[in-house]
Amino acid sequence: MKLKDEKPNNTDKSVKNINSNQDILLNAIEKYIHPDRLALIDGHFCLLNSDHEVERIPMETFQRIAPCAIIVLFDTIKNISKRISGRDGISYDYDFLLYFQDEEIKYAKNIAEHLCVPFLKLDVAEGFDSFTNFIDKLQLGKGKK
């Protein structure tokens, strides 16, 4: 992984122990999300490990979450780079961000296929009409209060 500009460690986005990190997520889901209520979880399918390499989150994490659908958002690398730089003060190499996004999309689709759940790849530049239509087709929450 290449950083355009080296930054102090406090802005480092790598995760030292991805499995432990996911256990924290799973515990929070179990604690705060009621199983009979719908929840939208915003997260990644891959993270940067301590060697600054793209690493897939273990399939077991997604099996335990048991999502009813998977939606992956994608954008231009220019927009992603701008958001990361503005939010975290980090500038990543263009090719690295492209690779990271491609890995996330491929793995998200793989997870959806493995779990036999609907999958949507959503281009943020096209707006969220396809998101709304996707959710409507799932008929999530119909008949639930």
Side-chain angles (χ1 to χ4, degrees):
M1 188 267 307
K2 288 184 179 179
L3 288 173
K4 281 185 180 178
D5 304 313
E6 291 299 322
K7 299 290 179 186
N9 284 341
N10 63 347
T11 60
D12 186 1
K13 301 306 279 186
S14 66
V15 177
K16 290 182 181 179
N17 188 329
I18 289 176
N19 288 338
S20 175
N21 180 271
Q22 297 314 298
D23 288 340
I24 293 168
L25 168 68
L26 292 166
N27 289 334
I29 289 170
E30 289 173 8
K31 182 175 180 178
Y32 296 109
I33 298 179
H34 192 278
D36 293 335
R37 302 203 69 198
L38 296 175
L40 180 63
I41 301 172
D42 176 11
H44 287 274
F45 298 92
C46 301
L47 295 171
L48 292 179
N49 65 24
S50 58
D51 294 325
H52 296 282
E53 298 168 334
V54 175
E55 184 175 320
R56 291 177 169 191
I57 293 171
M59 179 67 74
E60 179 185 327
T61 299
F62 300 100
Q63 291 168 327
R64 288 182 56 196
I65 292 172
C68 61
I70 291 178
I71 302 168
V72 64
L73 304 177
F74 72 99
D75 201 353
T76 66
I77 300 305
K78 180 180 177 183
N79 287 343
I80 293 169
S81 181
K82 186 177 178 181
R83 276 195 305 275
I84 292 171
S85 179
R87 182 188 66 216
D88 302 327
I90 300 173
S91 296
Y92 288 100
D93 178 76
Y94 179 94
D95 289 334
F96 174 76
L97 289 175
L98 181 62
Y99 170 74
F100 198 147
Q101 179 169 248
D102 287 347
E103 279 299 300
E104 290 236 85
I105 293 167
K106 283 190 289 189
Y107 190 44
K109 186 172 183 173
N110 179 265
I111 292 165
E113 290 169 354
H114 182 81
L115 298 177
C116 300
V117 298
F119 174 79
L120 174 65
K121 178 180 162 187
L122 179 62
D123 183 345
V124 298
E126 293 181 9
F128 289 90
D129 287 341
S130 60
F131 170 79
T132 305
N133 293 335
F134 182 76
I135 297 299
D136 286 344
K137 286 179 186 175
L138 292 173
Q139 299 200 4
L140 297 174
K142 301 289 184 195
K144 291 185 179 182
K145 292 187 178 185

